[in-house]
Amino acid sequence: MYGLPQLTFNNTEENVEHLFTPLQVGALTLPNRILMAPLTRCRAAEGHHASDLMAVHYAKRASAGLIIAEATMVMEGNSAFWKEPAIYSASQVDAWKKVTDAVHEQGGHIFLQIWHGGRACHPLINEGQEPVAPSAIAITSSEVLTPEGWKPYVTPRELRDDEMPAIVEGFKQAAQNAKAAGFDGVEVHGANGYLLDEFLRDGANKRTGAYGGSMENRARLMLDVLDAVCEVWGSDCVGLRISPLNSFNSMADSDPIALATWLAKKLNAFNLAYLHVMRSDFFQVQQGDVLTPVREHYQGVLIGNMGYTPEEAEQAIAQGLVDAVSFGVPFIANADLPEKIKSGMALTQANPALFYTGGAEGYLD
């Protein structure tokens, strides 16, 4: 999950040609198909402001076809990582402008991933505010880091139906703020056991009524958020990330293949810039092939993610399995990842001990 073997890829520019073919993604023409996946790194400054470290970090990675910046809070009081960024205030918008300016000065493109942590939030990092979720079911597979150390997750409060419009409005305002901050678009975070994913998958959503039961109802909040965000940006500047198989944050679904297939068909009406699919499970609890049915039924740009080597990414694009691949861990220790892939240089192995430490070490070096 966290490491990448130190391998030399004996590439020439010719045998990775598909990775370096330009790609039209909504309103943008990307120079290559090597995308930087969103990576929470806990380097935000006080008050969940994007930091100067972050501006340097992202600018160094501007050669990616597209940078998808890390999960960013859309509403106050919903922190899940203690030191992650947010974009609900004017000062946070100003802080993000430093990041987008730095990336654009290097010729790069950058989307912001907008996010609500749902039941993965904790009162100790939200001034006592309890987390919310589709159902009152706690995460049990891990603990959360707080100012008082690692703590178990708490049981969230089940959201009422009449609270959903405020959440949709929170995403819409975040989308407006992302535009003001100079981003090229936004990615709605519908993956990894956070709020929208919690509603989508029946392992976390046990409610009845308009937001529970059928796939249509469980997807309602996610689709309402997409509608609202597309009103702000236009659909050609909006992406969506999903993880139908990933068991991270105690997530599961009774039929992830059927869910992915249904959603792929449903999303065609949105004409999104892209659909970003995490193809597997970090922990191999749930297994299956979600990319094949999504590719069959989704008519837009499809981005694959999780565990690709450059060779596999090249082959997947050449065979039409995906249109682009996003790399996460490889970008941590290889700011110039596209150039390394093109030249066949060895990739530096990332150090997981430095992923979330908050300083420049392991982030800028």
Side-chain angles (χ1 to χ4, degrees):
M1 170 182 173
Y2 293 119
L4 185 76
Q6 182 130 353
L7 300 175
T8 298
F9 302 107
N10 295 313
N11 296 330
T12 64
E13 189 167 345
E14 290 73 24
N15 63 24
V16 290
E17 61 179 337
H18 293 90
L19 281 170
F20 290 91
T21 301
L23 176 65
Q24 192 67 33
V25 173
L28 293 177
T29 302
L30 307 186
N32 63 63
R33 302 181 184 218
I34 301 167
L35 280 54
M36 180 178 171
L39 296 162
T40 296
R41 303 296 305 282
C42 300
R43 261 68 175 190
E46 186 72 21
H48 300 285
H49 290 80
S51 63
D52 292 341
L53 282 178
M54 290 167 61
V56 175
H57 173 80
Y58 283 117
K60 285 176 173 285
R61 289 154 178 80
S63 62
L66 174 66
I67 293 170
I68 306 169
E70 63 210 88
T72 297
M73 294 165 57
V74 300
M75 301 169 71
E76 188 173 7
N78 291 286
S79 172
F81 291 99
W82 184 13
K83 295 182 180 180
E84 76 273 57
I87 197 161
Y88 50 77
S89 74
S91 59
Q92 291 163 352
V93 170
D94 289 341
W96 272 117
K97 284 179 182 176
K98 295 183 294 184
V99 176
T100 59
D101 285 349
V103 170
H104 291 148
E105 285 170 6
Q106 297 300 315
H109 302 297
I110 183 167
F111 272 36
L112 181 67
Q113 189 185 66
I114 51 178
W115 163 79
H116 189 303
R119 67 179 184 176
C121 303
H122 195 283
L124 288 175
I125 51 177
N126 290 289
E127 298 183 347
Q129 182 170 315
E130 64 182 334
V132 294
S135 301
I137 304 170
I139 295 170
T140 57
S141 59
S142 59
E143 294 188 329
V144 58
L145 183 61
T146 77
E148 297 180 12
W150 291 95
K151 298 291 183 180
Y153 285 97
V154 302
T155 301
R157 177 179 66 81
E158 182 172 314
L159 283 162
R160 304 184 310 271
D161 285 4
D162 64 6
E163 293 180 279
M164 305 305 176
I167 291 171
V168 174
E169 183 59 32
F171 275 93
K172 185 174 184 179
Q173 184 61 57
Q176 292 169 339
N177 291 349
K179 181 174 281 191
F183 285 93
D184 298 302
V186 293
E187 177 180 278
V188 173
H189 195 338
N192 291 347
Y194 302 110
L195 187 68
L196 300 184
D197 189 34
E198 291 163 18
F199 271 89
L200 185 64
R201 291 198 268 172
D202 60 17
N205 184 346
K206 303 297 185 183
R207 65 194 297 130
T208 58
Y211 295 90
S214 68
M215 292 180 189
E216 185 90 34
N217 285 353
R218 300 198 316 266
R220 187 182 305 277
L221 181 60
M222 177 184 287
L223 299 181
D224 286 351
V225 165
L226 285 176
D227 274 330
V229 172
C230 288
E231 283 182 26
V232 174
W233 275 95
S235 62
D236 60 352
C237 292
V238 177
L240 171 68
R241 193 181 205 208
I242 60 172
S243 60
L245 290 171
N246 200 3
S247 64
F248 183 71
N249 280 333
S250 298
M251 290 299 293
D253 189 82
S254 61
D255 195 344
I257 307 301
L259 178 61
T261 303
W262 178 89
L263 191 59
K265 297 175 183 177
K266 189 73 174 179
L267 291 171
N268 286 323
F270 286 85
N271 193 29
L272 297 174
Y274 62 79
L275 176 60
H276 189 182
V277 179
M278 300 178 71
R279 62 176 176 165
S280 56
D281 179 3
F282 284 154
F283 308 112
Q284 300 301 308
V285 175
Q286 291 198 289
Q287 299 190 21
D289 176 10
V290 294
L291 276 182
T292 297
V294 170
R295 173 88 284 183
E296 180 182 353
H297 296 287
Y298 184 65
Q299 298 166 4
V301 171
L302 178 61
I303 300 169
N305 173 251
M306 290 186 77
Y308 285 87
T309 64
E311 293 100 330
E312 187 189 6
E314 167 69 19
Q315 292 167 6
I317 294 168
Q319 294 168 9
L321 304 178
V322 295
D323 298 298
V325 169
S326 69
F327 293 87
V329 171
F331 261 115
I332 290 177
N334 300 274
D336 55 346
L337 183 64
E339 180 57 36
K340 283 189 173 181
I341 289 174
K342 180 180 284 190
S343 65
M345 295 173 63
L347 301 188
T348 304
Q349 188 170 4
N351 180 0
L354 301 175
F355 283 3
Y356 311 112
T357 50
E361 187 181 7
Y363 193 64
L364 300 185
D365 54 5

